[in-house]
Amino acid sequence: MSRGCDHVMKRSPANASSLPGRGCTPSVDCVPGAAMPPERRDGSTRRSVSAVVLCVALGARVATAEPPATAPSKPEVQTRESQAAMTPSQALDRLKAGNARFVANAARRRDWSAKVVATAAGQFPFAAVLGCMDSRAPVEIVFDQGIGDVFTVRVGGNVVNDDELGSLEYAVKVGAKLIVVLGHTSCGAVKGAIDGVQLGNLTSLLAKIHPAVEAVHCSDSKDAGCVTKVAEENVRQSIRAIRERSPYVAKYLDDGTVALVGGMYDVATGRVTFLDH
Protein backbone atom coordinates (compact mmCIF):
# COMPACT_ATOMS: atom_id res chain seq x y z
CA MET A 1 0.00 0.00 0.00
CA SER A 2 1.49 3.32 -1.04
CA ARG A 3 1.59 5.96 1.61
CA GLY A 4 0.25 9.47 1.08
CA CYS A 5 2.41 12.50 1.71
CA ASP A 6 -0.16 14.79 3.29
CA HIS A 7 1.55 14.08 6.64
CA VAL A 8 4.63 16.04 5.58
CA MET A 9 4.69 19.73 6.50
CA LYS A 10 5.07 22.20 3.69
CA ARG A 11 6.40 25.65 4.54
CA SER A 12 4.16 28.49 3.37
CA PRO A 13 4.47 32.28 3.54
CA ALA A 14 1.98 32.28 6.42
CA ASN A 15 4.19 30.27 8.73
CA ALA A 16 7.58 31.03 7.23
CA SER A 17 8.54 33.42 10.04
CA SER A 18 7.99 30.72 12.67
CA LEU A 19 10.84 28.62 11.29
CA PRO A 20 14.04 30.66 11.64
CA GLY A 21 16.83 30.48 9.12
CA ARG A 22 16.97 29.20 5.61
CA GLY A 23 16.71 25.70 4.31
CA CYS A 24 13.72 24.67 6.45
CA THR A 25 11.34 23.91 3.56
CA PRO A 26 10.88 20.15 3.18
CA SER A 27 12.41 18.76 0.03
CA VAL A 28 9.16 17.12 -1.05
CA ASP A 29 6.27 19.15 -2.47
CA CYS A 30 3.19 17.18 -1.62
CA VAL A 31 -0.26 17.30 -3.06
CA PRO A 32 -2.89 16.29 -0.52
CA GLY A 33 -4.05 12.77 -1.14
CA ALA A 34 -1.37 11.99 -3.69
CA ALA A 35 0.81 8.97 -3.35
CA MET A 36 4.50 9.45 -2.99
CA PRO A 37 6.68 7.87 -5.66
CA PRO A 38 8.40 4.75 -4.33
CA GLU A 39 11.87 6.01 -5.14
CA ARG A 40 11.33 9.09 -2.95
CA ARG A 41 9.25 7.47 -0.20
CA ASP A 42 12.01 6.57 2.26
CA GLY A 43 14.98 8.94 1.95
CA SER A 44 13.12 12.10 1.00
CA THR A 45 10.46 11.65 3.65
CA ARG A 46 13.02 11.13 6.39
CA ARG A 47 15.00 14.17 5.26
CA SER A 48 11.86 16.30 5.17
CA VAL A 49 10.68 15.31 8.61
CA SER A 50 14.20 15.76 10.03
CA ALA A 51 14.39 19.25 8.53
CA VAL A 52 11.09 20.25 10.15
CA VAL A 53 12.09 18.89 13.55
CA LEU A 54 15.46 20.67 13.36
CA CYS A 55 13.86 23.99 12.49
CA VAL A 56 11.31 23.74 15.30
CA ALA A 57 14.09 22.88 17.77
CA LEU A 58 16.17 25.85 16.65
CA GLY A 59 13.16 28.11 17.00
CA ALA A 60 12.61 26.90 20.57
CA ARG A 61 16.25 27.61 21.46
CA VAL A 62 16.00 31.14 20.09
CA ALA A 63 12.75 31.75 21.98
CA THR A 64 14.15 30.55 25.31
CA ALA A 65 17.64 32.07 25.05
CA GLU A 66 18.70 34.04 28.13
CA PRO A 67 19.26 37.79 27.78
CA PRO A 68 22.86 39.03 27.65
CA ALA A 69 24.60 39.15 31.03
CA THR A 70 24.73 42.59 32.59
CA ALA A 71 28.05 44.20 33.45
CA PRO A 72 29.29 43.32 36.97
CA SER A 73 28.67 45.92 39.64
CA LYS A 74 31.55 47.94 41.02
CA PRO A 75 33.22 46.07 43.91
CA GLU A 76 32.85 47.45 47.42
CA VAL A 77 36.22 48.58 48.77
CA GLN A 78 37.47 50.86 51.51
CA THR A 79 37.75 54.51 50.43
CA ARG A 80 39.22 57.59 52.03
CA GLU A 81 35.70 58.71 52.90
CA SER A 82 34.56 55.40 54.43
CA GLN A 83 37.76 55.16 56.44
CA ALA A 84 37.40 58.70 57.78
CA ALA A 85 33.75 58.15 58.70
CA MET A 86 34.36 54.94 60.64
CA THR A 87 34.72 55.02 64.43
CA PRO A 88 36.84 52.61 66.50
CA SER A 89 33.72 50.87 67.81
CA GLN A 90 32.33 50.49 64.30
CA ALA A 91 35.63 49.01 63.17
CA LEU A 92 35.48 46.44 65.97
CA ASP A 93 31.85 45.61 65.17
CA ARG A 94 32.81 45.03 61.55
CA LEU A 95 35.48 42.51 62.56
CA LYS A 96 33.08 40.77 64.94
CA ALA A 97 30.44 40.51 62.22
CA GLY A 98 33.00 39.16 59.78
CA ASN A 99 34.13 36.47 62.18
CA ALA A 100 30.52 35.49 62.83
CA ARG A 101 30.06 34.98 59.07
CA PHE A 102 33.26 32.93 58.94
CA VAL A 103 32.16 30.68 61.79
CA ALA A 104 28.74 30.21 60.14
CA ASN A 105 30.41 29.34 56.83
CA ALA A 106 28.59 32.30 55.28
CA ALA A 107 31.51 34.41 54.08
CA ARG A 108 30.71 37.07 51.51
CA ARG A 109 31.28 36.27 47.86
CA ARG A 110 33.87 38.58 46.37
CA ASP A 111 35.17 39.31 42.91
CA TRP A 112 38.85 39.25 43.86
CA SER A 113 40.08 40.27 40.42
CA ALA A 114 37.83 43.33 40.47
CA LYS A 115 39.04 44.23 43.96
CA VAL A 116 42.66 44.06 42.81
CA VAL A 117 41.89 46.61 40.12
CA ALA A 118 39.77 48.78 42.42
CA THR A 119 42.49 49.04 45.09
CA ALA A 120 45.49 49.43 42.80
CA ALA A 121 45.56 53.21 43.14
CA GLY A 122 45.51 53.30 46.95
CA GLN A 123 44.49 51.65 50.21
CA PHE A 124 42.41 52.84 53.16
CA PRO A 125 42.24 50.02 55.74
CA PHE A 126 40.03 50.57 58.77
CA ALA A 127 42.02 48.33 61.16
CA ALA A 128 45.47 46.84 61.79
CA VAL A 129 45.91 43.36 63.24
CA LEU A 130 49.07 42.11 64.93
CA GLY A 131 48.76 38.34 64.77
CA CYS A 132 50.78 35.15 64.92
CA MET A 133 52.31 33.64 61.80
CA ASP A 134 50.43 30.36 62.41
CA SER A 135 49.02 29.09 59.11
CA ARG A 136 45.73 28.19 60.79
CA ALA A 137 44.96 31.80 61.72
CA PRO A 138 44.88 33.84 58.47
CA VAL A 139 43.62 37.25 59.54
CA GLU A 140 41.63 38.36 56.48
CA ILE A 141 39.91 35.00 56.19
CA VAL A 142 38.87 34.53 59.83
CA PHE A 143 37.46 38.08 59.87
CA ASP A 144 35.97 37.73 56.37
CA GLN A 145 37.59 40.89 55.04
CA GLY A 146 38.65 41.75 51.52
CA ILE A 147 41.60 43.30 49.76
CA GLY A 148 42.34 46.77 51.15
CA ASP A 149 40.27 46.35 54.33
CA VAL A 150 42.87 45.62 57.02
CA PHE A 151 46.59 45.89 57.64
CA THR A 152 48.08 42.63 58.88
CA VAL A 153 51.35 42.31 60.79
CA ARG A 154 52.23 38.69 61.54
CA VAL A 155 55.08 37.27 63.60
CA GLY A 156 55.51 34.13 65.67
CA GLY A 157 53.72 34.53 69.01
CA ASN A 158 52.32 37.96 68.00
CA VAL A 159 55.16 39.54 69.98
CA VAL A 160 56.03 43.22 69.87
CA ASN A 161 59.34 44.60 68.65
CA ASP A 162 60.46 47.81 66.97
CA ASP A 163 59.56 46.60 63.49
CA GLU A 164 56.00 45.72 64.46
CA LEU A 165 55.64 49.02 66.32
CA GLY A 166 56.77 50.93 63.27
CA SER A 167 54.21 49.08 61.14
CA LEU A 168 51.40 49.87 63.57
CA GLU A 169 52.45 53.52 63.76
CA TYR A 170 52.21 53.72 59.98
CA ALA A 171 48.74 52.13 60.06
CA VAL A 172 47.54 54.74 62.54
CA LYS A 173 49.14 57.56 60.57
CA VAL A 174 47.22 56.65 57.40
CA GLY A 175 43.84 56.34 59.09
CA ALA A 176 43.32 52.93 60.69
CA LYS A 177 40.84 53.25 63.58
CA LEU A 178 41.53 50.01 65.41
CA ILE A 179 44.53 47.91 66.45
CA VAL A 180 43.94 44.27 67.35
CA VAL A 181 46.49 41.97 68.96
CA LEU A 182 45.31 38.49 68.00
CA GLY A 183 46.60 35.38 69.75
CA HIS A 184 45.30 31.88 69.27
CA THR A 185 44.88 28.53 70.96
CA SER A 186 47.48 25.77 70.56
CA CYS A 187 50.17 28.34 69.73
CA GLY A 188 53.51 26.72 68.87
CA ALA A 189 55.48 29.78 69.95
CA VAL A 190 53.79 29.73 73.35
CA LYS A 191 54.52 26.02 73.73
CA GLY A 192 58.13 26.67 72.78
CA ALA A 193 58.40 29.41 75.40
CA ILE A 194 56.94 27.11 78.07
CA ASP A 195 59.44 24.39 77.15
CA GLY A 196 62.39 26.81 77.02
CA VAL A 197 63.27 25.94 73.42
CA GLN A 198 66.65 27.16 72.17
CA LEU A 199 66.85 27.53 68.38
CA GLY A 200 68.88 30.19 66.62
CA ASN A 201 67.12 33.54 66.42
CA LEU A 202 63.90 31.93 67.61
CA THR A 203 65.39 31.88 71.10
CA SER A 204 65.19 35.67 71.44
CA LEU A 205 61.65 35.72 70.05
CA LEU A 206 60.46 33.16 72.61
CA ALA A 207 62.14 35.15 75.37
CA LYS A 208 59.51 37.87 74.76
CA ILE A 209 56.82 35.35 75.76
CA HIS A 210 58.57 34.19 78.96
CA PRO A 211 57.01 36.96 81.12
CA ALA A 212 53.56 35.60 80.22
CA VAL A 213 54.66 32.06 81.10
CA GLU A 214 55.90 33.24 84.47
CA ALA A 215 52.79 35.31 85.16
CA VAL A 216 50.49 32.33 84.58
CA HIS A 217 52.78 29.83 86.35
CA CYS A 218 52.44 27.32 83.54
CA SER A 219 55.03 24.61 83.02
CA ASP A 220 53.24 21.99 80.89
CA SER A 221 53.06 22.65 77.16
CA LYS A 222 50.84 19.58 76.73
CA ASP A 223 48.13 21.10 78.92
CA ALA A 224 45.84 22.88 76.41
CA GLY A 225 44.21 25.03 79.09
CA CYS A 226 47.59 26.11 80.40
CA VAL A 227 48.81 27.01 76.90
CA THR A 228 45.67 29.07 76.26
CA LYS A 229 46.12 31.01 79.49
CA VAL A 230 49.70 31.87 78.56
CA ALA A 231 48.58 32.93 75.06
CA GLU A 232 45.92 35.21 76.53
CA GLU A 233 48.39 36.77 78.95
CA ASN A 234 50.85 37.20 76.09
CA VAL A 235 48.20 39.17 74.17
CA ARG A 236 47.67 41.45 77.17
CA GLN A 237 51.40 42.00 77.57
CA SER A 238 51.71 42.85 73.86
CA ILE A 239 48.92 45.42 74.28
CA ARG A 240 50.76 47.02 77.19
CA ALA A 241 54.01 47.02 75.19
CA ILE A 242 52.38 48.85 72.29
CA ARG A 243 51.05 51.59 74.53
CA GLU A 244 54.22 51.94 76.59
CA ARG A 245 56.77 51.70 73.79
CA SER A 246 55.01 53.83 71.18
CA PRO A 247 54.20 57.37 72.31
CA TYR A 248 52.93 57.99 68.78
CA VAL A 249 50.26 55.30 69.02
CA ALA A 250 49.51 56.21 72.65
CA LYS A 251 48.59 59.73 71.57
CA TYR A 252 45.84 58.39 69.29
CA LEU A 253 44.67 55.98 71.97
CA ASP A 254 44.42 58.74 74.55
CA ASP A 255 42.32 61.04 72.37
CA GLY A 256 39.99 58.21 71.34
CA THR A 257 40.81 58.37 67.66
CA VAL A 258 42.09 54.79 67.74
CA ALA A 259 41.20 51.79 69.94
CA LEU A 260 43.50 48.95 70.98
CA VAL A 261 42.00 45.54 71.83
CA GLY A 262 43.10 41.94 72.23
CA GLY A 263 41.52 38.76 70.95
CA MET A 264 41.97 35.01 70.91
CA TYR A 265 41.30 32.85 67.88
CA ASP A 266 40.23 29.26 68.54
CA VAL A 267 41.84 27.01 65.93
CA ALA A 268 39.27 24.30 66.65
CA THR A 269 36.12 26.41 66.11
CA GLY A 270 37.22 29.42 64.08
CA ARG A 271 35.73 31.78 66.64
CA VAL A 272 37.48 34.95 67.85
CA THR A 273 36.85 36.00 71.45
CA PHE A 274 37.81 39.55 72.36
CA LEU A 275 39.46 39.93 75.74
CA ASP A 276 38.77 42.31 78.58
CA HIS A 277 41.90 44.15 79.65
Short mmCIF file of all heavy atoms in Angstrom, two decimals, residues 54-88:
data_model
loop_
_atom_site.label_atom_id
_atom_site.label_comp_id
_atom_site.label_asym_id
_atom_site.label_seq_id
_atom_site.Cartn_x
_atom_site.Cartn_y
_atom_site.Cartn_z
N LEU A 54 14.29 19.83 13.08
CA LEU A 54 15.46 20.67 13.36
C LEU A 54 15.08 22.13 13.43
O LEU A 54 15.50 22.87 14.32
CB LEU A 54 16.53 20.45 12.29
CG LEU A 54 17.77 21.34 12.38
CD1 LEU A 54 18.48 21.09 13.71
CD2 LEU A 54 18.71 21.09 11.23
N CYS A 55 14.24 22.58 12.49
CA CYS A 55 13.86 23.99 12.49
C CYS A 55 13.03 24.35 13.72
O CYS A 55 13.19 25.41 14.31
CB CYS A 55 13.06 24.31 11.22
SG CYS A 55 14.06 24.25 9.72
N VAL A 56 12.11 23.47 14.11
CA VAL A 56 11.31 23.74 15.30
C VAL A 56 12.19 23.80 16.54
O VAL A 56 12.05 24.65 17.41
CB VAL A 56 10.23 22.64 15.47
CG1 VAL A 56 9.53 22.80 16.82
CG2 VAL A 56 9.21 22.74 14.34
N ALA A 57 13.18 22.88 16.62
CA ALA A 57 14.09 22.88 17.77
C ALA A 57 14.90 24.16 17.84
O ALA A 57 15.09 24.75 18.90
CB ALA A 57 15.01 21.66 17.70
N LEU A 58 15.38 24.60 16.67
CA LEU A 58 16.17 25.85 16.65
C LEU A 58 15.31 27.03 17.06
O LEU A 58 15.76 27.92 17.78
CB LEU A 58 16.75 26.07 15.25
CG LEU A 58 17.87 25.13 14.82
CD1 LEU A 58 18.24 25.36 13.37
CD2 LEU A 58 19.09 25.33 15.71
N GLY A 59 14.05 27.02 16.61
CA GLY A 59 13.16 28.11 17.00
C GLY A 59 12.93 28.15 18.50
O GLY A 59 12.89 29.20 19.12
N ALA A 60 12.81 26.96 19.12
CA ALA A 60 12.61 26.90 20.57
C ALA A 60 13.81 27.43 21.31
O ALA A 60 13.71 28.13 22.31
CB ALA A 60 12.33 25.46 20.99
N ARG A 61 15.04 27.12 20.81
CA ARG A 61 16.25 27.61 21.46
C ARG A 61 16.33 29.11 21.40
O ARG A 61 16.71 29.78 22.36
CB ARG A 61 17.48 26.99 20.81
CG ARG A 61 17.69 25.54 21.16
CD ARG A 61 19.00 25.04 20.63
NE ARG A 61 20.11 25.77 21.23
CZ ARG A 61 21.39 25.60 20.89
NH1 ARG A 61 21.71 24.73 19.96
NH2 ARG A 61 22.32 26.30 21.48
N VAL A 62 15.96 29.68 20.23
CA VAL A 62 16.00 31.14 20.09
C VAL A 62 15.00 31.79 21.04
O VAL A 62 15.27 32.79 21.69
CB VAL A 62 15.71 31.55 18.63
CG1 VAL A 62 15.53 33.06 18.53
CG2 VAL A 62 16.85 31.07 17.73
N ALA A 63 13.81 31.16 21.15
CA ALA A 63 12.75 31.75 21.98
C ALA A 63 13.10 31.72 23.45
O ALA A 63 12.69 32.59 24.21
CB ALA A 63 11.44 31.00 21.74
N THR A 64 13.86 30.68 23.88
CA THR A 64 14.15 30.55 25.31
C THR A 64 15.54 31.03 25.68
O THR A 64 15.98 30.84 26.80
CB THR A 64 14.01 29.08 25.73
OG1 THR A 64 14.94 28.29 24.96
CG2 THR A 64 12.60 28.57 25.50
N ALA A 65 16.28 31.62 24.76
CA ALA A 65 17.64 32.07 25.05
C ALA A 65 17.62 33.13 26.14
O ALA A 65 16.73 33.98 26.20
CB ALA A 65 18.28 32.63 23.78
N GLU A 66 18.61 33.07 27.04
CA GLU A 66 18.70 34.04 28.13
C GLU A 66 19.20 35.37 27.60
O GLU A 66 19.99 35.42 26.65
CB GLU A 66 19.66 33.53 29.19
CG GLU A 66 19.17 32.28 29.89
CD GLU A 66 20.13 31.84 30.97
OE1 GLU A 66 21.16 32.52 31.15
OE2 GLU A 66 19.84 30.83 31.64
N PRO A 67 18.77 36.47 28.22
CA PRO A 67 19.26 37.79 27.78
C PRO A 67 20.74 37.93 28.09
O PRO A 67 21.29 37.23 28.93
CB PRO A 67 18.42 38.76 28.64
CG PRO A 67 18.03 37.95 29.84
CD PRO A 67 17.83 36.55 29.33
N PRO A 68 21.43 38.83 27.40
CA PRO A 68 22.86 39.03 27.65
C PRO A 68 23.13 39.38 29.10
O PRO A 68 22.34 40.08 29.74
CB PRO A 68 23.22 40.20 26.72
CG PRO A 68 22.13 40.22 25.68
CD PRO A 68 20.90 39.72 26.37
N ALA A 69 24.23 38.86 29.64
CA ALA A 69 24.60 39.15 31.03
C ALA A 69 24.90 40.63 31.20
O ALA A 69 25.51 41.27 30.34
CB ALA A 69 25.81 38.33 31.43
N THR A 70 24.46 41.18 32.32
CA THR A 70 24.73 42.59 32.59
C THR A 70 26.14 42.75 33.11
O THR A 70 26.74 41.82 33.64
CB THR A 70 23.74 43.13 33.64
OG1 THR A 70 23.85 42.33 34.83
CG2 THR A 70 22.31 43.05 33.13
N ALA A 71 26.69 43.93 32.97
CA ALA A 71 28.05 44.20 33.45
C ALA A 71 28.11 44.07 34.96
O ALA A 71 27.16 44.44 35.66
CB ALA A 71 28.46 45.62 33.03
N PRO A 72 29.19 43.49 35.52
CA PRO A 72 29.29 43.32 36.97
C PRO A 72 29.30 44.67 37.68
O PRO A 72 29.79 45.66 37.16
CB PRO A 72 30.63 42.59 37.15
CG PRO A 72 31.40 42.90 35.90
CD PRO A 72 30.38 43.02 34.81
N SER A 73 28.71 44.69 38.87
CA SER A 73 28.67 45.92 39.64
C SER A 73 30.06 46.26 40.18
O SER A 73 30.91 45.38 40.31
CB SER A 73 27.68 45.80 40.79
OG SER A 73 28.05 44.72 41.63
N LYS A 74 30.27 47.50 40.51
CA LYS A 74 31.55 47.94 41.02
C LYS A 74 31.79 47.32 42.39
O LYS A 74 30.91 47.35 43.25
CB LYS A 74 31.56 49.47 41.13
CG LYS A 74 32.90 50.06 41.52
CD LYS A 74 32.85 51.57 41.53
CE LYS A 74 34.20 52.17 41.92
NZ LYS A 74 34.15 53.65 41.95
N PRO A 75 32.97 46.73 42.62
CA PRO A 75 33.22 46.07 43.91
C PRO A 75 33.27 47.06 45.06
O PRO A 75 33.69 48.21 44.90
CB PRO A 75 34.58 45.40 43.70
CG PRO A 75 35.25 46.23 42.66
CD PRO A 75 34.15 46.66 41.73
N GLU A 76 32.82 46.61 46.22
CA GLU A 76 32.85 47.45 47.42
C GLU A 76 34.23 47.38 48.05
O GLU A 76 34.71 46.31 48.42
CB GLU A 76 31.81 46.97 48.42
CG GLU A 76 31.77 47.79 49.70
CD GLU A 76 30.76 47.25 50.69
OE1 GLU A 76 29.96 46.38 50.31
OE2 GLU A 76 30.79 47.71 51.86
N VAL A 77 34.90 48.52 48.16
CA VAL A 77 36.22 48.58 48.77
C VAL A 77 36.27 49.78 49.71
O VAL A 77 35.45 50.70 49.63
CB VAL A 77 37.35 48.71 47.71
CG1 VAL A 77 37.40 47.48 46.83
CG2 VAL A 77 37.17 49.97 46.87
N GLN A 78 37.27 49.74 50.61
CA GLN A 78 37.47 50.86 51.51
C GLN A 78 37.93 52.10 50.72
O GLN A 78 38.79 52.00 49.83
CB GLN A 78 38.53 50.52 52.55
CG GLN A 78 38.02 49.74 53.74
CD GLN A 78 37.12 50.57 54.60
OE1 GLN A 78 35.93 50.30 54.69
NE2 GLN A 78 37.65 51.59 55.23
N THR A 79 37.36 53.25 51.05
CA THR A 79 37.75 54.51 50.43
C THR A 79 38.23 55.47 51.51
O THR A 79 38.05 55.23 52.71
CB THR A 79 36.56 55.15 49.69
OG1 THR A 79 35.53 55.48 50.65
CG2 THR A 79 35.99 54.19 48.65
N ARG A 80 38.78 56.56 51.08
CA ARG A 80 39.22 57.59 52.03
C ARG A 80 38.03 58.07 52.87
O ARG A 80 38.16 58.29 54.08
CB ARG A 80 39.85 58.77 51.28
CG ARG A 80 40.54 59.78 52.19
CD ARG A 80 41.04 60.98 51.38
NE ARG A 80 41.85 60.57 50.26
CZ ARG A 80 43.17 60.30 50.34
NH1 ARG A 80 43.78 60.38 51.50
NH2 ARG A 80 43.84 59.94 49.26
N GLU A 81 36.88 58.21 52.21
CA GLU A 81 35.70 58.71 52.90
C GLU A 81 35.16 57.69 53.91
O GLU A 81 34.80 58.05 55.04
CB GLU A 81 34.61 59.06 51.88
CG GLU A 81 34.93 60.26 50.99
CD GLU A 81 35.99 59.95 49.93
OE1 GLU A 81 36.17 58.76 49.59
OE2 GLU A 81 36.62 60.91 49.43
N SER A 82 35.08 56.42 53.51
CA SER A 82 34.56 55.40 54.43
C SER A 82 35.50 55.18 55.60
O SER A 82 35.06 54.94 56.73
CB SER A 82 34.32 54.09 53.69
OG SER A 82 35.54 53.54 53.20
N GLN A 83 36.79 55.29 55.36
CA GLN A 83 37.76 55.16 56.44
C GLN A 83 37.63 56.31 57.44
O GLN A 83 37.62 56.11 58.65
CB GLN A 83 39.18 55.11 55.87
CG GLN A 83 40.27 54.90 56.91
CD GLN A 83 41.64 55.23 56.35
OE1 GLN A 83 41.89 56.34 55.87
NE2 GLN A 83 42.55 54.27 56.43
N ALA A 84 37.50 57.53 56.92
CA ALA A 84 37.40 58.70 57.78
C ALA A 84 36.10 58.69 58.60
O ALA A 84 36.08 59.14 59.75
CB ALA A 84 37.47 59.97 56.94
N ALA A 85 35.04 58.14 58.02
CA ALA A 85 33.75 58.15 58.70
C ALA A 85 33.64 57.07 59.77
O ALA A 85 32.78 57.15 60.65
CB ALA A 85 32.62 57.98 57.68
N MET A 86 34.48 56.06 59.71
CA MET A 86 34.36 54.94 60.64
C MET A 86 34.93 55.28 62.02
O MET A 86 35.97 55.93 62.14
CB MET A 86 35.08 53.71 60.07
CG MET A 86 34.83 52.44 60.87
SD MET A 86 35.47 50.96 60.05
CE MET A 86 34.39 50.87 58.63
N THR A 87 34.25 54.84 63.05
CA THR A 87 34.72 55.02 64.43
C THR A 87 35.42 53.75 64.90
O THR A 87 35.23 52.67 64.31
CB THR A 87 33.55 55.32 65.37
OG1 THR A 87 32.70 54.17 65.43
CG2 THR A 87 32.75 56.53 64.88
N PRO A 88 36.21 53.82 65.97
CA PRO A 88 36.84 52.61 66.50
C PRO A 88 35.84 51.51 66.85
O PRO A 88 36.08 50.33 66.57
CB PRO A 88 37.58 53.11 67.74
CG PRO A 88 37.92 54.53 67.41
CD PRO A 88 36.73 55.04 66.66
#
